[in-house]
Amino acid sequence: IRPADVATKLCVIIATVVVGIASRVVGRIARVNRRELEAGIARAKNHFSVAVKAAKMLFWELDLHTGALVYEQDRLTWLGLAPDAAVTTITEWLAAVHPDDKTAFMQHFQDALRQGAPDFDFEYRMQQSPGQWTWVQSRGSVSQRNAEGTAVLAVGATINTNQRKQAEADVQTNATLLRATLAATDEGILMIGPDGQVLSANQRF
């Protein structure tokens, strides 16, 4: 056997061994990276789930062709509604909207369906029980259109804003009460903030 043939065969053998080792190493690295990626995805999903529960955010999907509304039924309680409420279509959802808010709701809804229009973002009242209403805010956008550009699918989320609205109402009530008190007293009253700014004063002052 010529030395050149021996060298060639040795090179082939060595190359085969190196490729085999490299393949196993690459395979191990890929498995490790995949496990790390899967762990990262699992952590992200867990964090997202915790955030959603903390915000009490109801995610929904609306089929604009059939009007079907899909969401996790048991999370209706996050909005202050009964978990067995029959709200499975956009028509039934609209039926639960306060009469004074329906026109504005539909105007925002129709506007959001146009291409290039701002996303749907509206705060309104929904019926909890006869005579009882809760404030909610819905935000959503068209996620799919057909070949003609017509909206066929929308996704979004709704949260309960009743507590915030009540706090705003309390602030307004307190402000009204303060103004009435200042106007009714015979004493001159001046209110100054920590920064020296005049907050309020009555006519007597």
Side-chain angles (χ1 to χ4, degrees):
I1 302 174
R2 292 181 301 172
D5 294 336
V6 174
T8 299
K9 292 180 179 179
L10 286 174
C11 287
V12 171
I13 294 172
I14 292 172
T16 302
V17 172
V18 169
V19 169
I21 294 174
S23 297
R24 288 195 293 272
V25 171
V26 169
R28 291 194 186 109
I29 293 174
R31 287 193 293 273
V32 171
N33 289 342
R34 181 176 179 178
R35 285 196 296 269
E36 291 177 350
L37 178 61
E38 290 174 346
I41 293 173
R43 285 194 300 271
K45 286 183 177 179
N46 181 62
H47 294 165
F48 179 73
S49 178
V50 171
V52 167
K53 289 180 180 179
K56 294 187 176 181
M57 187 176 294
L58 175 73
F59 286 97
W60 45 262
E61 181 178 280
L62 173 61
D63 186 324
L64 295 165
H65 178 66
T66 64
L69 195 60
V70 179
Y71 54 87
E72 293 190 41
Q73 187 79 15
D74 60 339
R75 295 187 176 181
L76 275 180
T77 55
W78 290 357
L79 303 183
L81 307 178
D84 58 348
V87 185
T88 59
T89 67
I90 186 61
T91 301
E92 292 171 343
W93 187 278
L94 183 62
V97 175
H98 193 283
D100 294 343
D101 299 332
K102 285 185 179 182
T103 300
F105 180 99
M106 286 307 300
Q107 184 62 56
H108 281 75
F109 181 79
Q110 293 295 336
D111 289 345
L113 298 182
R114 293 184 289 103
Q115 283 187 316
D119 292 342
F120 180 87
D121 188 352
F122 186 58
E123 192 169 28
Y124 54 99
R125 289 160 290 182
M126 291 192 73
Q127 189 171 35
Q128 289 180 295
S129 58
Q132 297 294 321
W133 304 89
T134 184
W135 282 94
V136 301
Q137 183 170 11
S138 292
R139 293 178 178 175
S141 62
V142 174
S143 62
Q144 185 178 337
R145 295 180 182 275
N146 60 20
E148 289 73 34
T150 303
V152 296
L153 188 68
V155 295
T158 301
I159 61 173
N160 188 326
T161 59
N162 206 57
Q163 188 173 5
R164 176 175 61 78
K165 294 293 288 188
Q166 185 59 53
E168 291 174 355
D170 290 343
V171 170
Q172 184 62 37
T173 299
N174 291 337
T176 301
L177 180 60
L178 175 60
R179 286 194 297 269
T181 301
L182 291 175
T185 183
D186 291 332
E187 298 296 328
I189 298 177
L190 174 68
M191 300 179 64
I192 300 178
D195 58 355
Q197 182 179 5
V198 175
L199 301 178
S200 186
N202 64 355
Q203 188 65 35
R204 179 65 176 173
F205 179 83

